[in-house]
Amino acid sequence: MNYKLYFDSVTGALHTLYAGWGYKISAAAILTLLLHKHAVLFYAFSLLVFLDWVT
């Protein structure tokens, strides 16, 4: 087994995973807020309160 090629491949993969971590974390946070069950219930409740306030 060519260990140098293996370690070079692992290092390259880790560098690729590390690149753009800020964008990846931001996208994950936004998706979590949009898709989380409790967040959806909170959005629905906020809409209900807003509609009650408007009418």
Side-chain angles (χ1 to χ4, degrees):
M1 182 171 188
N2 189 351
Y3 288 108
K4 179 164 177 26
L5 180 61
Y6 174 75
F7 287 121
D8 288 342
S9 298
V10 170
T11 304
L14 291 176
H15 285 294
T16 303
L17 289 173
Y18 180 73
W21 65 270
Y23 299 115
K24 292 175 185 177
I25 290 175
S26 299
I30 291 170
L31 286 174
T32 300
L33 288 176
L34 291 176
L35 300 176
H36 193 266
K37 178 183 172 184
H38 293 99
V40 172
L41 291 173
F42 175 73
Y43 298 149
F45 178 72
S46 299
L47 178 64
L48 179 66
V49 170
F50 176 75
L51 290 175
D52 184 45
W53 177 71
V54 169
T55 58

